[in-house]
Amino acid sequence: DVVMTQSPLSLPVTLGQPASISCRSSQSLAHADGITYLNWFHQRPGRSPRRLIYQVSNRDSGVPDRFSGSGSGTDFTLRISRVEAEDVGIYYCMQGSHWPPWTFGQGTKVEIK
Amino acid sequence: DVQLVESGGGLVQPGGSLRLSCVASGFTFNAYWMHWVRQTPGKGLVWISHINSDGSDTSYADSVKGRFTISRDNAKNTVYLQMNSLRAGDTGVYYCTTDDPGLGIDSWGQGTLVTVSS
């Protein structure tokens, strides 16, 4: 199974400042079809997860452009250019390149300082 | 808009059974794979099971293999999770999710809470 490791697990941020979350996989997520199936999800307190990014760097519809994803192979990053209050919650990376099982990172809790 | 509504959760004794349902709307259900994902405070998000668009292919996490069965009824836009021989470790909120083949897990329902306890 592919193990997904996120860091940090807790991220206090200042409003208006940038934030960055790392996600590393135990093996390359490059699929034989040439696509890397690495998604990012955001879960606000008391809510269901919502996908932000698919295939490493593609923003879902309605996702603000302050969110960006990058990376390749085993090393991926989610960046928020300027943190807003609504960005608090837990962020998860997830791989769908080598399944089953689909696997998630442990989650990174973002809170405002 | 995509809507997924789960039901069927509740309190059950160890060794008991539950059947979860997820009714879908707002998209072409029979074109999508579907998944069940469990969330627990201690272990975050854990993938449980998937079913392909016509129900001919399924897969399960090792922890539930042989105890859980996923199925779907495309005429009713519904996916099910039959859970047997339940254990305390199966406790959590169960979400159904869509999976647009090629784009991966996407939309999530509101979840249904399963508590396994005596």
Side-chain angles (χ1 to χ4, degrees):
Chain A
D1 298 358
V2 178
V3 177
M4 305 296 289
T5 304
Q6 290 182 228
S7 63
L9 299 185
S10 178
L11 182 58
V13 297
T14 301
L15 289 174
Q17 293 300 302
S20 179
I21 300 170
S22 171
C23 175
R24 289 193 166 92
S25 56
S26 60
Q27 61 183 272
S28 173
L29 298 186
H31 192 272
D33 64 8
I35 297 173
T36 298
Y37 295 96
L38 186 284
N39 295 346
W40 288 96
F41 296 88
H42 175 216
Q43 184 175 31
R44 293 191 176 105
R47 304 288 297 274
S48 303
R50 171 200 181 195
R51 195 177 71 184
L52 300 176
I53 302 283
Y54 63 95
Q55 294 174 8
V56 179
S57 59
N58 297 288
R59 270 191 308 275
D60 275 283
S61 175
V63 174
D65 61 8
R66 64 179 181 274
F67 289 93
S68 64
S70 64
S72 63
T74 61
D75 205 344
F76 304 92
T77 302
L78 177 70
R79 291 185 175 87
I80 309 173
S81 59
R82 294 172 306 280
V83 172
E84 298 190 5
E86 65 181 17
D87 299 339
V88 299
I90 303 177
Y91 291 79
Y92 296 93
C93 61
M94 187 218 78
Q95 71 82 23
S97 292
H98 306 291
W99 57 267
W102 284 257
T103 49
F104 294 86
Q106 317 97 300
T108 295
K109 186 173 184 179
V110 171
E111 56 188 7
I112 305 299
K113 283 181 184 175
Chain B
D1 282 1
V2 172
Q3 191 168 14
L4 301 169
V5 179
E6 301 97 334
S7 62
L11 174 64
V12 61
Q13 291 188 337
S17 297
L18 279 177
R19 187 197 198 201
L20 306 184
S21 300
C22 171
V23 178
S25 60
F27 64 102
T28 306
F29 181 72
N30 62 13
Y32 280 66
W33 294 9
M34 298 294 292
H35 299 259
W36 288 96
V37 176
R38 179 172 68 213
Q39 184 165 37
T40 57
K43 290 193 174 183
L45 296 170
V46 176
W47 172 82
I48 297 298
S49 181
H50 113 279
I51 187 166
N52 69 347
S53 55
D54 66 3
S56 62
D57 185 42
T58 60
S59 62
Y60 300 91
D62 286 346
S63 61
V64 306
K65 208 170 289 183
R67 301 187 298 122
F68 289 14
T69 303
I70 191 171
S71 61
R72 66 190 295 161
D73 184 337
N74 285 348
K76 294 183 178 180
N77 282 10
T78 302
V79 61
Y80 305 97
L81 186 68
Q82 177 67 44
M83 305 188 296
N84 298 331
S85 303
L86 283 160
R87 308 166 179 167
D90 297 320
T91 293
V93 175
Y94 284 73
Y95 294 98
C96 72
T97 82
T98 60
D99 182 343
D100 188 353
L103 298 183
I105 289 178
D106 181 3
S107 301
W108 299 60
Q110 87 287 352
T112 187
L113 176 63
V114 172
T115 304
V116 184
S117 174
S118 54

